[in-house]
């Protein structure tokens, strides 16, 4: 065999194999690679979109958390104001009740003192009348009058 003929047949087989590969085998491989590249590109785009959506969601979550904290602070401040106001109202009401009770007690004490004074006056008046009656029943004698007044004085004490 001739080296040139072998080389020529090998070249022909190589060209036929190349044409066969380029026409029948290569297009499906390129098509599959293009589809794979499109899928990878779509996946990367979806990943980028998901990453941006995640960042946006995190920003929203942080904002909502901040709003919730502010709202909780406002609610807490409002509750503290209401509690302070309730305490002040309770103190004012307690002060009013104590003042009313004090006034009632003072009025009752004044009334009791007035009754005691009235009762004492009645008793003194009765004793004075009784002493005057005893003086008038006896004869008029300075020594006897002095004794009666001393007795009356002892009764009053």
């Amino acid at each position: 065999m001739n080296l040139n003929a072998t080389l020529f047949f090998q070249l022909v087989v190589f060209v036929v194999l190349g044409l066969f590969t380029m026409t029948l085998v290569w297009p499906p491989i390129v098509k599959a690679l293009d589809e794979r590249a499109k899928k990878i590109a779509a996946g990367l785009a979806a990943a980028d979109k998901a990453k941006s959506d995640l960042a946006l969601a995190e920003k929203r979550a942080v904002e909502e958390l901040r709003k919730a904290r502010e709202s909780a602070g406002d609610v807490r401040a409002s509750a503290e104001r209401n509690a302070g106001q309730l305490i002040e109202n309770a103190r004012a009401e307690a002060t009013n009740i104590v003042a009313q009770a004090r006034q009632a007690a003072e009025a009752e004490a004044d009334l009791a003192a007035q009754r005691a004074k009235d009762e004492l006056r009645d008793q003194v008046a009765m004793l004075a009348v009784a002493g005057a009656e005893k003086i008038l029943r006896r004869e008029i004698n300075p020594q006897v009058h002095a004794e009666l007044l001393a007795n009356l004085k002892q009764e009053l004490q």
Side-chain angles (χ1 to χ4, degrees):
M1 242 188 66
N2 190 357
L3 186 61
N4 285 338
T6 305
L7 210 54
F8 175 73
F9 282 119
Q10 285 180 351
L11 184 63
V12 170
V13 170
F14 180 75
V15 170
V16 170
L17 182 63
L19 286 174
F20 174 77
T21 303
M22 289 174 78
T23 57
L24 296 177
V25 176
W26 192 254
I29 291 174
V30 169
K31 183 179 175 186
L33 289 174
D34 287 342
E35 287 177 7
R36 178 80 174 153
K38 287 178 184 176
K39 285 182 183 179
I40 290 173
L44 290 174
D48 287 342
K49 185 176 184 248
K51 189 184 281 186
S52 65
D53 289 347
L54 178 63
L56 183 62
E58 285 177 354
K59 286 180 184 177
R60 286 182 190 163
V62 167
E63 182 65 25
E64 289 297 321
L65 186 59
R66 184 189 60 78
K67 287 180 183 177
R69 285 182 181 155
E70 286 177 3
S71 176
D74 292 344
V75 168
R76 184 182 310 128
S78 175
E80 287 174 356
R81 279 189 303 247
N82 289 343
Q85 203 168 30
L86 287 174
I87 289 171
E88 288 302 317
N89 290 344
R91 284 183 183 159
E93 189 175 336
T95 302
N96 288 340
I97 290 171
V98 167
Q100 289 174 354
R102 182 180 296 140
Q103 288 175 350
E106 287 175 355
E108 189 175 327
D110 289 343
L111 185 61
Q114 188 62 38
R115 285 182 191 157
K117 286 178 184 177
D118 289 344
E119 190 176 311
L120 186 59
R121 279 188 198 130
D122 289 345
Q123 287 178 359
V124 168
M126 287 173 52
L127 285 175
V129 168
E133 184 180 338
K134 286 182 183 178
I135 290 174
L136 290 177
R137 283 191 187 169
R138 287 197 167 178
E139 58 184 75
I140 300 178
N141 186 350
Q143 189 177 14
V144 173
H145 290 292
E147 285 178 20
L148 285 175
L149 287 174
N151 288 341
L152 183 61
K153 191 176 185 181
Q154 284 181 353
E155 286 179 15
L156 287 176
Q157 290 178 357

